[in-house]
């Protein structure tokens, strides 16, 4: 029987699915996901095989990419990062694809990094940490630089890296039950790889407030007011709202859209590339700090960190 432990809130996190592309992998490790103050650990006796990312393309050329780890709120692990990058790069290169919709399976968009994976990073070498950080940067850049319009269908919580995914997309449509948060500093780590995209989306003043405090998740309406998302609708109206955005982009010239996105990219390319490199180095350094080890260990041991 799956169960969960309340830790300053209640948000069930269950079994861990892992795989890449069309190949499925069975793993026996469990995930811990932090949704700001809502943090839980789940132990389950078995896992089912599943593709961690699902890609579908309809007859109009709309590609739908779904993070498929609903039982851990679509938290990332290395397989998710690689599979999601492959899916984005693949559809971006297809002439027949006109638009991309990015979403999560189930009731969450993405809870960001799987904390059991991140806890394992503490035991990696600096080079291994840099490789992991670079893969995350590559994923976000793939979304940002895609010549296709990328629409985030935010069907629930977008935390940490999930928050960053929303910021990397061109258009974001959220259901009114969605929440958005950045809790990294509470764990002794930093929101490194997502920072260029979050700062660009929210502006430095808002980004500083969220980065430095790990504020409780902001509700969808506040995210709309902050410019993080473009539309907020009821859960039952989410697909219709996404469809409205799709109809708009499908009426537009694919060549003009691609060139417009390239224009944005050229305008900020030098700054973004340097920011990604700086973020990678900063993240690697943070993993080597005592606070990162203490923060993640405290979370997994269900206790407050030493600085709390």
């Amino acid at each position: 029987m799956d169960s969960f432990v309340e830790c300053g809130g209640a948000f069930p996190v269950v079994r861990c699915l892992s795989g890449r592309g069309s190949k499925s992998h069975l793993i026996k490790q469990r995930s811990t996901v932090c949704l700001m103050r809502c943090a839980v650990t789940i132990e389950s006796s078995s896992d089912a095989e599943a593709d961690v990312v699902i890609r579908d393309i309809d007859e109009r050329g709309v590609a739908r990419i779904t993070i498929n780890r609903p039982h851990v709120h679509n938290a990332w692990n290395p397989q998710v990062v690689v599979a999601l990058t492959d899916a984005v790069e693949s559809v971006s290169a297809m002439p027949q694809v006109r638009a991309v919709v990015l979403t999560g399976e189930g009731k969450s968009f993405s809870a960001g990094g799987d904390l059991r994976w991140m806890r394992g990073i503490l035991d990696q070498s600096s080079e291994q940490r840099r490789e992991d950080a670079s893969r995350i940067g590559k994923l976000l850049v793939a979304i940002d630089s895609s010549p296709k319009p990328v629409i985030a269908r935010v069907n629930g919580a977008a935390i940490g890296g999930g928050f960053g995914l929303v910021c990397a997309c061109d258009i974001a449509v959220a259901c009114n039950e969605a929440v958005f948060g950045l809790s990294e500093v509470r764990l002794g780590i930093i929101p490194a790889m997502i920072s260029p995209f979050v700062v660009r989306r929210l502006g430095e003043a808002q980004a500083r407030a969220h980065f430095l405090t790990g504020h409780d998740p902001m509700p969808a309406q506040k995210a709309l007011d902050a410019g993080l998302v473009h539309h907020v609708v009821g859960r039952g109206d989410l697909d219709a709202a996404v469809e409205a955005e799709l109809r708009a982009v499908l009426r537009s010239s694919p060549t003009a859209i691609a060139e417009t996105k390239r224009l944005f990219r050229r305008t900020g390319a030098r700054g973004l590339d340097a920011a990604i490199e700086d973020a990678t180095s900063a993240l690697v350094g943070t993993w080597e700090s005592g606070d990162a080890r203490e923060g993640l260990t405290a979370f997994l041991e269900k206790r407050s960190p030493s600085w709390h």
Side-chain angles (χ1 to χ4, degrees):
M1 176 71 70
D2 291 332
S3 60
F4 69 94
V5 179
E6 184 171 344
C7 180
F11 207 110
V13 178
V14 290
R15 60 190 180 183
C16 172
L17 301 176
S18 179
R20 177 181 172 186
S22 62
K23 298 180 180 179
S24 299
H25 302 270
L26 182 62
I27 63 175
K28 296 181 179 179
Q29 67 186 28
R30 297 296 170 267
S31 275
T32 304
V33 179
C34 178
L35 296 179
M36 307 301 288
R37 289 183 299 114
C38 308
V40 294
T41 302
I42 293 300
E43 295 294 337
S44 177
S45 59
S46 65
D47 278 325
E49 292 188 2
D51 294 330
V52 295
V53 172
I54 298 172
R55 188 195 74 185
D56 296 298
I57 303 174
D58 70 17
E59 66 280 358
R60 299 175 300 171
V62 174
R64 183 185 180 98
I65 298 174
T66 305
I67 306 172
N68 186 36
R69 299 183 82 211
H71 299 307
V72 288
H73 302 282
N74 301 314
W76 302 357
N77 59 16
Q79 290 80 13
V80 170
V81 173
V82 172
L84 193 53
T85 304
D86 288 349
V88 172
E89 291 182 339
S90 174
V91 300
S92 294
M94 294 180 181
Q96 71 270 31
V97 170
R98 298 282 308 277
V100 181
V101 175
L102 177 62
T103 193
E105 184 64 30
K107 294 185 177 181
S108 297
F109 180 72
S110 176
D114 182 315
L115 287 193
R116 288 219 180 264
W117 166 41
M118 291 196 288
R119 177 62 180 83
I121 292 175
L122 293 173
D123 299 320
Q124 291 181 344
S125 67
S126 293
E127 186 57 36
Q128 289 172 318
R129 292 168 181 161
R130 180 170 289 276
E131 289 175 1
D132 277 343
S134 295
R135 289 190 191 101
I136 296 172
K138 182 181 179 183
L139 165 61
L140 295 167
V141 169
I143 295 170
D144 179 67
S145 63
S146 171
K148 319 296 183 180
V150 182
I151 301 172
R153 175 187 178 273
V154 188
N155 53 310
I159 308 298
F163 193 120
L165 284 180
V166 174
C167 292
C169 292
D170 300 303
I171 301 167
V173 181
C175 74
N176 56 9
E177 299 171 14
V179 293
F180 303 82
L182 298 159
S183 59
E184 286 86 346
V185 293
R186 294 189 181 186
L187 297 171
I189 55 178
I190 60 176
M193 306 315 299
I194 66 173
S195 61
F197 305 93
V198 176
V199 171
R200 186 179 64 186
R201 187 70 149 244
L202 296 184
E204 185 174 335
Q206 285 284 346
R208 280 178 181 255
H210 290 284
F211 282 162
L212 300 180
T213 64
H215 275 313
D216 291 345
M218 69 170 112
Q221 185 59 49
K222 187 174 180 180
L224 177 65
D225 295 341
L228 174 59
V229 301
H230 300 91
H231 306 284
V232 173
V233 297
R235 181 173 291 279
D237 297 322
L238 182 59
D239 287 331
V242 170
E243 181 61 30
E245 294 299 315
L246 285 170
R247 286 197 299 270
V249 298
L250 291 174
R251 287 195 298 266
S252 303
S253 159
T255 301
I257 286 177
E259 188 54 40
T260 299
K261 291 199 66 176
R262 276 193 287 270
L263 178 62
F264 279 119
R265 179 71 174 161
R266 287 196 300 269
T267 300
R270 182 171 300 176
L272 179 59
D273 291 343
I276 290 292
E277 180 58 32
D278 288 346
T280 301
S281 297
L283 184 58
V284 170
T286 300
W287 282 115
E288 295 173 355
S289 72
D291 278 4
R293 185 172 297 276
E294 167 63 10
L296 291 170
T297 300
F299 175 83
L300 293 173
E301 293 177 353
K302 303 181 181 66
R303 61 175 174 81
S304 295
S306 60
W307 59 78
H308 190 273

